[in-house]
Amino acid sequence: MRRWNGWGDESITVEPKPAAAAFLRERLGEGGRPRDVTLDEAAAGAPASRLAEHPLIAVDPRVRIRHARGQSLPDWIALRGGSIGAIPDGVACPKSQEEVRALIDHAAACGARLIPYGGGTSVVGHLTPTSGEAPILTVDMSGIAALERLDQRSQLATFGAGIAGPALEAALRPFGLTLGHFPQSFELSTLGGWIATRSSGQLSLRYGRIEDTFAGGTVEAPRGTFEIPVFPASAAGPDLRELVLGSEGRLGVITRAVVRVSRAPAAQRFAAFFLPEWAAAEGAVRELAQARAGLAMMRLSNPVETATQLALAVSPRLLRLLDGALRLRGLGAERCLLVVGAAGSGRQVMGLLGEVGALLRRAGGARAPGAFARAWEHGRFRNAYLRNSLWERGYAIDTVETALPWAGVRAGMQRIEAAATAALAAAGERGLVFSHLSHVYPTGSSVYSTFVFRIAADPAATLERWRRLKAAVSAAIVASGGTISHQHGVGRDHRAELVGEKGPLGIAAIDAALKVFDPDTMMNPGTLIG
Ligand SMILES: Cc1cc2nc3c(=O)[nH]c(=O)nc-3n(C[C@H](O)[C@H](O)[C@H](O)COP(=O)(O)OP(=O)(O)OC[C@H]3O[C@@H](n4cnc5c(N)ncnc54)[C@H](O)[C@@H]3O)c2cc1C
């Protein structure tokens, strides 16, 4: 069963190595935490549902609480501390487009607001119900999750939008096809959620972001049914897919999506390299991106992230041996870990990794033992479970991400890290702050920063720590000229910065477009724009 106040399935626990716990104690101090409330305790305080009865709507407080929040740090603090705030008045799990229509009509008749819910993996406050007079109906899309049509000749697959990553790939596998969309939240997040948040997967260098693979589909909006036809390409005016991409549940419920799929590669391999320091490493990655070398992934960790990954993954004895060997090759404390992925025929993969290895050696790099790449591959989805075990030890993790032109990548990363460190210091806390480049482009890169800090004895104090941290790093992103989100979206947490990023005319245009589909603002109000 899925955890109600943490990540993933309750049967799966991923523990840090003993040395990693010591590493965190040394860097941050001893972690402690208040007792978490139980689901029963949280349910006991739930208000009665204000929704009129409907055969598709469940009003059990446990179900409502399970759909009340996503996976952001404030969401965890609220759920674990028991200050959940508003919860949906009911949760429906429709099985067809007709049922979605019926639910929208029912919500409209009751004056209710409606929140589309995919996998509930949002990390920016997309799913938090707005407190107020209007009842809230959350529509869980997990019941509309089938492969409805596959046009193998055109490589177009039509899915119910509630399908989660593993089921989607399993449906394509027998046909030798893949969508190739692998966010770290792959296990739980859904196709509809990916489209609604403009998600990006780990192998986007090969398969593209979701906006590259989303070809068309159906949206049930309060105003009616919106069909987006599928073409290989079109010059027929503005592309209306763009209205749906990033709509964050404000436009309507995406019920069906047609996606461009690819032939699954015969071979896929990951390889890890150490580079001597950031400037050389960033330069090498940029060169590979601009040469359009054909890699499926490049993920470059800065020195602190590299040291943290080594401390988390390798025993102290092995780490000493590795450190000695690397230092002999000029790879000291400033070394950066680069993981690359290649996919294609066996020969293409070997050839490409050979060429990339040669370029990285010229940049002063050295290939890491194969175990590093294997460990990264093994942990690429499982490491999300570490959030649970670190919380148990009294440590919170939060992340932010942006994208910047190459000219601003390094300065932006440094500015974000400095802002985070200063914000935590102002709260009297040491932070473990590190970054990596997760998605690279010829013109720039995403910068993904992680902050680990202690949970306070009082959940309100932890939330305050987070608020100050978030305000500081968001300001640093804006000051660096970065977008407020490269892949997580806007939700409630980035709404203020969106206003600056889009400008008054841009926000007015978004608002006007949403009103065409949802004239009474019943869809997920409070998310994306105020
Ligand atoms: C551990 C972890 C790792 C993550 N890694 C990545 C990553 O690598 N890349 C990445 O891009 N993101 C990542 N995320 C963020 C998150 O997984 C994405 O934003 C994801 O796309 C959300 O999908 P979901 O199905 O869970 O949507 P939800 O969280 O359920 O919803 C998100 C938003 O989309 C709307 N929505 C959902 N389904 C529909 C629908 N059918 N119709 C209309 N609107 C809908 C909701 O109303 C809401 O506004 C990560 C999150 C976590 C917790």
Side-chain angles (χ1 to χ4, degrees), residues 266-296:
Q268 177 170 288
R269 274 192 69 181
F270 296 93
F273 297 84
F274 287 105
L275 286 131
E277 45 80 43
W278 183 260
E282 188 195 301
V285 164
R286 189 180 66 243
E287 192 176 330
L288 285 166
Q290 292 177 341
R292 298 176 200 263
L295 284 167

mmCIF file of all heavy atoms in Angstrom, residues 266-296:
data_model
loop_
_atom_site.group_PDB
_atom_site.id
_atom_site.type_symbol
_atom_site.label_atom_id
_atom_site.label_comp_id
_atom_site.label_asym_id
_atom_site.label_seq_id
_atom_site.Cartn_x
_atom_site.Cartn_y
_atom_site.Cartn_z
ATOM 1 N N ALA A 266 17.972 -1.423 -28.669
ATOM 2 C CA ALA A 266 18.472 -2.779 -28.380
ATOM 3 C C ALA A 266 19.393 -2.735 -27.160
ATOM 4 O O ALA A 266 19.465 -3.679 -26.383
ATOM 5 C CB ALA A 266 19.227 -3.318 -29.593
ATOM 6 N N ALA A 267 20.096 -1.634 -27.002
ATOM 7 C CA ALA A 267 21.053 -1.536 -25.887
ATOM 8 C C ALA A 267 20.932 -0.178 -25.227
ATOM 9 O O ALA A 267 20.629 0.831 -25.885
ATOM 10 C CB ALA A 267 22.479 -1.727 -26.404
ATOM 11 N N GLN A 268 21.149 -0.159 -23.927
ATOM 12 C CA GLN A 268 21.176 1.108 -23.176
ATOM 13 C C GLN A 268 22.231 0.954 -22.092
ATOM 14 O O GLN A 268 22.208 -0.011 -21.336
ATOM 15 C CB GLN A 268 19.815 1.349 -22.556
ATOM 16 C CG GLN A 268 19.745 2.598 -21.694
ATOM 17 C CD GLN A 268 18.314 2.922 -21.300
ATOM 18 O OE1 GLN A 268 17.521 3.349 -22.121
ATOM 19 N NE2 GLN A 268 17.985 2.696 -20.040
ATOM 20 N N ARG A 269 23.172 1.882 -22.049
ATOM 21 C CA ARG A 269 24.231 1.763 -21.021
ATOM 22 C C ARG A 269 24.517 3.116 -20.392
ATOM 23 O O ARG A 269 24.435 4.159 -21.039
ATOM 24 C CB ARG A 269 25.533 1.239 -21.647
ATOM 25 C CG ARG A 269 25.552 -0.284 -21.704
ATOM 26 C CD ARG A 269 26.932 -0.784 -22.034
ATOM 27 N NE ARG A 269 27.895 -0.560 -20.948
ATOM 28 C CZ ARG A 269 29.167 -0.900 -21.018
ATOM 29 N NH1 ARG A 269 29.633 -1.456 -22.118
ATOM 30 N NH2 ARG A 269 29.976 -0.684 -20.012
ATOM 31 N N PHE A 270 24.885 3.044 -19.132
ATOM 32 C CA PHE A 270 25.305 4.251 -18.423
ATOM 33 C C PHE A 270 26.787 4.109 -18.089
ATOM 34 O O PHE A 270 27.274 3.002 -17.845
ATOM 35 C CB PHE A 270 24.483 4.430 -17.145
ATOM 36 C CG PHE A 270 23.017 4.649 -17.415
ATOM 37 C CD1 PHE A 270 22.121 3.587 -17.443
ATOM 38 C CD2 PHE A 270 22.542 5.930 -17.685
ATOM 39 C CE1 PHE A 270 20.776 3.788 -17.720
ATOM 40 C CE2 PHE A 270 21.197 6.140 -17.966
ATOM 41 C CZ PHE A 270 20.318 5.067 -17.985
ATOM 42 N N ALA A 271 27.496 5.215 -18.108
ATOM 43 C CA ALA A 271 28.921 5.194 -17.731
ATOM 44 C C ALA A 271 29.191 6.424 -16.875
ATOM 45 O O ALA A 271 28.571 7.473 -17.072
ATOM 46 C CB ALA A 271 29.797 5.227 -18.980
ATOM 47 N N ALA A 272 30.096 6.262 -15.902
ATOM 48 C CA ALA A 272 30.407 7.386 -15.002
ATOM 49 C C ALA A 272 31.859 7.815 -15.184
ATOM 50 O O ALA A 272 32.735 6.975 -15.434
ATOM 51 C CB ALA A 272 30.145 6.970 -13.556
ATOM 52 N N PHE A 273 32.086 9.112 -15.066
ATOM 53 C CA PHE A 273 33.433 9.673 -15.216
ATOM 54 C C PHE A 273 33.667 10.689 -14.098
ATOM 55 O O PHE A 273 32.721 11.328 -13.628
ATOM 56 C CB PHE A 273 33.570 10.403 -16.558
ATOM 57 C CG PHE A 273 33.417 9.500 -17.755
ATOM 58 C CD1 PHE A 273 32.152 9.192 -18.248
ATOM 59 C CD2 PHE A 273 34.519 8.949 -18.382
ATOM 60 C CE1 PHE A 273 31.994 8.359 -19.341
ATOM 61 C CE2 PHE A 273 34.378 8.100 -19.476
ATOM 62 C CZ PHE A 273 33.100 7.807 -19.951
ATOM 63 N N PHE A 274 34.905 10.828 -13.695
ATOM 64 C CA PHE A 274 35.277 11.931 -12.808
ATOM 65 C C PHE A 274 36.017 12.968 -13.634
ATOM 66 O O PHE A 274 36.885 12.625 -14.450
ATOM 67 C CB PHE A 274 36.180 11.438 -11.674
ATOM 68 C CG PHE A 274 35.445 10.629 -10.639
ATOM 69 C CD1 PHE A 274 35.581 9.245 -10.596
ATOM 70 C CD2 PHE A 274 34.604 11.243 -9.730
ATOM 71 C CE1 PHE A 274 34.893 8.498 -9.662
ATOM 72 C CE2 PHE A 274 33.904 10.499 -8.783
ATOM 73 C CZ PHE A 274 34.049 9.122 -8.750
ATOM 74 N N LEU A 275 35.680 14.244 -13.401
ATOM 75 C CA LEU A 275 36.404 15.341 -14.048
ATOM 76 C C LEU A 275 37.056 16.180 -12.966
ATOM 77 O O LEU A 275 36.561 16.221 -11.830
ATOM 78 C CB LEU A 275 35.450 16.148 -14.911
ATOM 79 C CG LEU A 275 35.119 15.339 -16.173
ATOM 80 C CD1 LEU A 275 33.653 15.281 -16.452
ATOM 81 C CD2 LEU A 275 35.904 15.845 -17.360
ATOM 82 N N PRO A 276 38.192 16.849 -13.299
ATOM 83 C CA PRO A 276 39.010 17.433 -12.230
ATOM 84 C C PRO A 276 38.348 18.579 -11.467
ATOM 85 O O PRO A 276 38.552 18.720 -10.280
ATOM 86 C CB PRO A 276 40.268 17.932 -12.947
ATOM 87 C CG PRO A 276 39.965 17.888 -14.395
ATOM 88 C CD PRO A 276 38.842 16.930 -14.608
ATOM 89 N N GLU A 277 37.572 19.402 -12.136
ATOM 90 C CA GLU A 277 36.925 20.527 -11.433
ATOM 91 C C GLU A 277 35.796 21.064 -12.306
ATOM 92 O O GLU A 277 35.645 20.669 -13.460
ATOM 93 C CB GLU A 277 37.939 21.623 -11.036
ATOM 94 C CG GLU A 277 38.925 22.010 -12.098
ATOM 95 C CD GLU A 277 38.364 22.957 -13.109
ATOM 96 O OE1 GLU A 277 37.662 23.889 -12.678
ATOM 97 O OE2 GLU A 277 38.593 22.781 -14.318
ATOM 98 N N TRP A 278 35.009 22.000 -11.725
ATOM 99 C CA TRP A 278 33.752 22.384 -12.373
ATOM 100 C C TRP A 278 33.937 22.975 -13.772
ATOM 101 O O TRP A 278 33.216 22.604 -14.707
ATOM 102 C CB TRP A 278 32.961 23.351 -11.476
ATOM 103 C CG TRP A 278 31.663 23.679 -12.114
ATOM 104 C CD1 TRP A 278 31.341 24.795 -12.828
ATOM 105 C CD2 TRP A 278 30.509 22.830 -12.164
ATOM 106 N NE1 TRP A 278 30.053 24.705 -13.315
ATOM 107 C CE2 TRP A 278 29.520 23.510 -12.915
ATOM 108 C CE3 TRP A 278 30.210 21.564 -11.650
ATOM 109 C CZ2 TRP A 278 28.252 22.966 -13.161
ATOM 110 C CZ3 TRP A 278 28.948 21.035 -11.894
ATOM 111 C CH2 TRP A 278 27.995 21.725 -12.654
ATOM 112 N N ALA A 279 34.880 23.925 -13.925
ATOM 113 C CA ALA A 279 34.978 24.619 -15.223
ATOM 114 C C ALA A 279 35.254 23.618 -16.339
ATOM 115 O O ALA A 279 34.637 23.658 -17.411
ATOM 116 C CB ALA A 279 36.064 25.687 -15.164
ATOM 117 N N ALA A 280 36.168 22.682 -16.089
ATOM 118 C CA ALA A 280 36.489 21.678 -17.112
ATOM 119 C C ALA A 280 35.290 20.777 -17.366
ATOM 120 O O ALA A 280 34.972 20.429 -18.516
ATOM 121 C CB ALA A 280 37.695 20.852 -16.656
ATOM 122 N N ALA A 281 34.625 20.417 -16.285
ATOM 123 C CA ALA A 281 33.494 19.493 -16.414
ATOM 124 C C ALA A 281 32.349 20.156 -17.182
ATOM 125 O O ALA A 281 31.792 19.576 -18.117
ATOM 126 C CB ALA A 281 33.034 19.068 -15.019
ATOM 127 N N GLU A 282 32.022 21.389 -16.793
ATOM 128 C CA GLU A 282 30.920 22.084 -17.475
ATOM 129 C C GLU A 282 31.269 22.299 -18.948
ATOM 130 O O GLU A 282 30.421 22.125 -19.834
ATOM 131 C CB GLU A 282 30.640 23.429 -16.789
ATOM 132 C CG GLU A 282 29.404 24.098 -17.334
ATOM 133 C CD GLU A 282 29.303 25.576 -16.956
ATOM 134 O OE1 GLU A 282 29.275 25.888 -15.755
ATOM 135 O OE2 GLU A 282 29.242 26.409 -17.886
ATOM 136 N N GLY A 283 32.523 22.634 -19.205
ATOM 137 C CA GLY A 283 32.959 22.851 -20.591
ATOM 138 C C GLY A 283 32.806 21.579 -21.416
ATOM 139 O O GLY A 283 32.340 21.620 -22.572
ATOM 140 N N ALA A 284 33.159 20.448 -20.833
ATOM 141 C CA ALA A 284 33.069 19.180 -21.574
ATOM 142 C C ALA A 284 31.612 18.823 -21.866
ATOM 143 O O ALA A 284 31.261 18.398 -22.977
ATOM 144 C CB ALA A 284 33.736 18.063 -20.760
ATOM 145 N N VAL A 285 30.764 19.041 -20.879
ATOM 146 C CA VAL A 285 29.339 18.728 -21.054
ATOM 147 C C VAL A 285 28.731 19.647 -22.119
ATOM 148 O O VAL A 285 27.958 19.218 -22.975
ATOM 149 C CB VAL A 285 28.621 18.859 -19.685
ATOM 150 C CG1 VAL A 285 27.122 18.934 -19.845
ATOM 151 C CG2 VAL A 285 29.007 17.693 -18.786
ATOM 152 N N ARG A 286 29.109 20.911 -22.045
ATOM 153 C CA ARG A 286 28.596 21.865 -23.037
ATOM 154 C C ARG A 286 29.040 21.465 -24.439
ATOM 155 O O ARG A 286 28.246 21.448 -25.377
ATOM 156 C CB ARG A 286 29.109 23.274 -22.696
ATOM 157 C CG ARG A 286 28.446 24.357 -23.530
ATOM 158 C CD ARG A 286 28.943 25.736 -23.186
ATOM 159 N NE ARG A 286 30.340 25.914 -23.533
ATOM 160 C CZ ARG A 286 31.324 26.150 -22.681
ATOM 161 N NH1 ARG A 286 31.071 26.249 -21.389
ATOM 162 N NH2 ARG A 286 32.573 26.291 -23.094
ATOM 163 N N GLU A 287 30.312 21.063 -24.543
ATOM 164 C CA GLU A 287 30.821 20.671 -25.865
ATOM 165 C C GLU A 287 30.033 19.474 -26.408
ATOM 166 O O GLU A 287 29.657 19.445 -27.579
ATOM 167 C CB GLU A 287 32.310 20.327 -25.743
ATOM 168 C CG GLU A 287 32.968 20.196 -27.088
ATOM 169 C CD GLU A 287 34.465 19.961 -26.983
ATOM 170 O OE1 GLU A 287 35.082 20.435 -25.995
ATOM 171 O OE2 GLU A 287 34.995 19.290 -27.888
ATOM 172 N N LEU A 288 29.762 18.518 -25.534
ATOM 173 C CA LEU A 288 29.010 17.334 -25.973
ATOM 174 C C LEU A 288 27.584 17.713 -26.374
ATOM 175 O O LEU A 288 27.047 17.202 -27.361
ATOM 176 C CB LEU A 288 28.975 16.285 -24.855
ATOM 177 C CG LEU A 288 30.280 15.515 -24.649
ATOM 178 C CD1 LEU A 288 30.266 14.761 -23.330
ATOM 179 C CD2 LEU A 288 30.511 14.551 -25.820
ATOM 180 N N ALA A 289 26.967 18.631 -25.603
ATOM 181 C CA ALA A 289 25.591 19.044 -25.927
ATOM 182 C C ALA A 289 25.564 19.788 -27.256
ATOM 183 O O ALA A 289 24.691 19.568 -28.091
ATOM 184 C CB ALA A 289 25.032 19.922 -24.806
ATOM 185 N N GLN A 290 26.552 20.673 -27.447
ATOM 186 C CA GLN A 290 26.536 21.489 -28.671
ATOM 187 C C GLN A 290 26.944 20.683 -29.893
ATOM 188 O O GLN A 290 26.549 20.996 -31.016
ATOM 189 C CB GLN A 290 27.422 22.722 -28.469
ATOM 190 C CG GLN A 290 26.783 23.664 -27.439
ATOM 191 C CD GLN A 290 27.598 24.885 -27.093
ATOM 192 O OE1 GLN A 290 28.805 24.913 -27.332
ATOM 193 N NE2 GLN A 290 26.961 25.878 -26.505
ATOM 194 N N ALA A 291 27.714 19.613 -29.676
ATOM 195 C CA ALA A 291 28.075 18.730 -30.799
ATOM 196 C C ALA A 291 26.912 17.801 -31.130
ATOM 197 O O ALA A 291 26.984 17.052 -32.090
ATOM 198 C CB ALA A 291 29.313 17.912 -30.427
ATOM 199 N N ARG A 292 25.831 17.865 -30.307
ATOM 200 C CA ARG A 292 24.682 16.962 -30.466
ATOM 201 C C ARG A 292 25.190 15.539 -30.634
ATOM 202 O O ARG A 292 24.898 14.846 -31.610
ATOM 203 C CB ARG A 292 23.806 17.411 -31.635
ATOM 204 C CG ARG A 292 23.239 18.802 -31.398
ATOM 205 C CD ARG A 292 22.435 19.336 -32.560
ATOM 206 N NE ARG A 292 22.314 20.788 -32.482
ATOM 207 C CZ ARG A 292 21.279 21.439 -31.969
ATOM 208 N NH1 ARG A 292 20.268 20.781 -31.485
ATOM 209 N NH2 ARG A 292 21.260 22.753 -31.926
ATOM 210 N N ALA A 293 25.961 15.142 -29.633
ATOM 211 C CA ALA A 293 26.712 13.894 -29.722
ATOM 212 C C ALA A 293 25.815 12.656 -29.788
ATOM 213 O O ALA A 293 26.265 11.587 -30.175
ATOM 214 C CB ALA A 293 27.655 13.800 -28.517
ATOM 215 N N GLY A 294 24.555 12.785 -29.404
ATOM 216 C CA GLY A 294 23.661 11.621 -29.503
ATOM 217 C C GLY A 294 23.497 10.861 -28.207
ATOM 218 O O GLY A 294 22.909 9.773 -28.197
ATOM 219 N N LEU A 295 24.007 11.422 -27.101
ATOM 220 C CA LEU A 295 23.816 10.748 -25.809
ATOM 221 C C LEU A 295 22.343 10.810 -25.401
ATOM 222 O O LEU A 295 21.597 11.706 -25.824
ATOM 223 C CB LEU A 295 24.671 11.427 -24.735
ATOM 224 C CG LEU A 295 26.165 11.109 -24.795
ATOM 225 C CD1 LEU A 295 26.957 12.057 -23.911
ATOM 226 C CD2 LEU A 295 26.424 9.651 -24.404
ATOM 227 N N ALA A 296 21.932 9.891 -24.532
ATOM 228 C CA ALA A 296 20.554 9.898 -24.019
ATOM 229 C C ALA A 296 20.469 10.708 -22.734
ATOM 230 O O ALA A 296 19.386 11.170 -22.353
ATOM 231 C CB ALA A 296 20.086 8.472 -23.756
#
